[in-house]
Amino acid sequence: MFEDLSNRQGERLDATYHAPDSDPRELVVIGHGVTGNKDRAWAVTLAETLAASGYGALRLSFSGNGESEGRFEDSCPTKEAEDLSAALDAAESAGFVRTIYVGHSMGGAVGVLAASRDRRIAALVSLAGMVGTADFAQRKFGEQSAGDFMWDKPDCPLSEAFLADMRTIDSVAPLAKQVHVPWLLVHGRADTVVPLTDSIAVAERTEAPVELALLPGVDHVFDGCEGMMATRVVRWLESLELG
C-alpha cells in the first residue's frame, strides 16, 4: 500500500505504512520538518503507537528529503503541501474514510496550509509546529547565503526557493481562522528551534476546537519523550467524535 505514491511533478514519495491488526477506517499521515525525513525517532514511535491503537499510520518523506525523489533545493512549505495533497489522494483511493494529518516543525506549517483549504483533513495535529515562517528563516539562516549547508548538513543546501517561499508565506497564523477541524498543538517548553509562542499564537486565533498541550522539559524533537508525545496524540484522537 502506498508504494506508488508520487506528487504532481511525478516524483516518487518515500512512505512507510503501519497497519493495525484490524482494517482501519482512519489514516494518520505523518510529516516532518526542515531537513528531516520519515525515519526520525519521534515519527517511528508515533506511527507504531498509532498502529497499536487501531489507526493506519503513514510516515511520509516530502519530496527532496530522505529517500523521496526530487531536489532538496526545491523543498519548501508550498511544495510540501502539494505532496500532502498527493497523500490525501492516495488515502481516498485506498478506501480510508477519514485522514488525519500530524506535522512536525515546518511540517506543522504545511498542515495549516493544507487544512485551511482541503476539507479532506478530518483533524490536525501540530507537533512543535512552525507558524512564523519568515521569522524562522531569518533566525536560523539569516546569516547564510544560498548554497550554504543548513545546520551543517551537506545534503541540505540552503536555496533561494526555500527562502522566497518562507518570506511569501510569512506566517500561517492568519490561516488559523480557516481551520475548522479539531486541532491539537503539542509543544515542548524546552524547544529552542520553534518558539512556544508559535503554538500559542494559532491556538488563540483559530475558531476550531483546539487543545494546546505544553510539555515541561521537552525539546524540539521530543528526544527521550517520544512515547509520551505519541500517547498524548493517540489519547486526543480517541477522544474525538469524527463521525
Side-chain angles (χ1 to χ4, degrees):
M1 189 181 293
F2 302 108
E3 294 87 355
D4 299 323
L5 179 59
S6 61
N7 61 19
R8 70 176 188 176
Q9 288 84 12
E11 297 162 341
R12 184 189 64 83
L13 302 177
D14 185 33
T16 298
Y17 177 64
H18 296 249
D21 290 336
S22 58
D23 290 338
R25 292 168 54 84
E26 297 167 334
L27 176 70
V28 182
V29 178
I30 302 170
H32 58 83
V34 181
T35 76
N37 59 64
K38 69 178 180 61
D39 296 322
R40 294 294 173 88
W42 66 265
V44 174
T45 298
L46 176 58
E48 291 175 344
T49 304
L50 286 162
S53 302
Y55 296 89
L58 185 70
R59 292 186 284 120
L60 175 67
S61 286
F62 292 119
S63 54
N65 292 265
E67 298 300 318
S68 289
E69 294 180 348
R71 297 186 337 130
F72 178 81
E73 292 90 336
D74 296 330
S75 300
C76 62
T78 297
K79 188 182 182 193
E80 292 181 359
E82 294 173 358
D83 293 346
L84 176 55
S85 181
L88 296 174
D89 292 341
E92 282 188 319
S93 297
F96 288 96
V97 176
R98 288 173 293 274
T99 303
I100 297 149
Y101 176 68
V102 178
H104 175 255
S105 193
M106 192 171 82
V110 170
V112 179
L113 291 173
S116 67
R117 60 180 182 242
D118 195 326
R119 297 299 178 250
R120 294 178 296 175
I121 296 177
L124 180 64
V125 179
S126 299
L127 303 176
M130 183 189 301
V131 173
T133 56
D135 173 72
F136 176 87
Q138 179 59 37
R139 282 189 297 104
K140 296 301 180 181
F141 308 115
E143 296 183 0
Q144 292 184 269
S145 301
D148 291 345
F149 299 151
M150 301 171 75
W151 289 317
D152 298 320
K153 297 181 179 181
D155 294 334
C156 301
L158 183 65
S159 71
E160 288 292 351
F162 169 82
L163 293 171
D165 196 53
M166 297 287 271
R167 288 191 294 262
T168 298
I169 294 169
D170 185 45
S171 171
V172 297
L175 297 177
K177 289 187 177 180
Q178 298 176 39
V179 176
H180 303 293
V181 296
W183 190 356
L184 173 66
L185 299 124
V186 182
H187 215 121
R189 288 187 176 274
D191 191 338
T192 59
V193 179
V194 173
L196 188 64
T197 51
D198 274 25
S199 288
I200 294 171
V202 289
E204 292 176 343
R205 297 186 72 160
T206 186
E207 297 174 2
V210 64
E211 186 169 328
L212 176 62
L214 306 180
L215 308 181
V218 175
D219 68 8
H220 185 63
V221 295
F222 304 96
D223 185 29
C225 302
E226 296 92 348
M228 177 178 66
M229 174 274 293
T231 298
R232 185 70 187 78
V233 171
V234 168
R235 287 179 178 172
W236 179 77
L237 288 175
E238 290 175 340
S239 74
L240 301 180
E241 296 181 3
L242 297 177

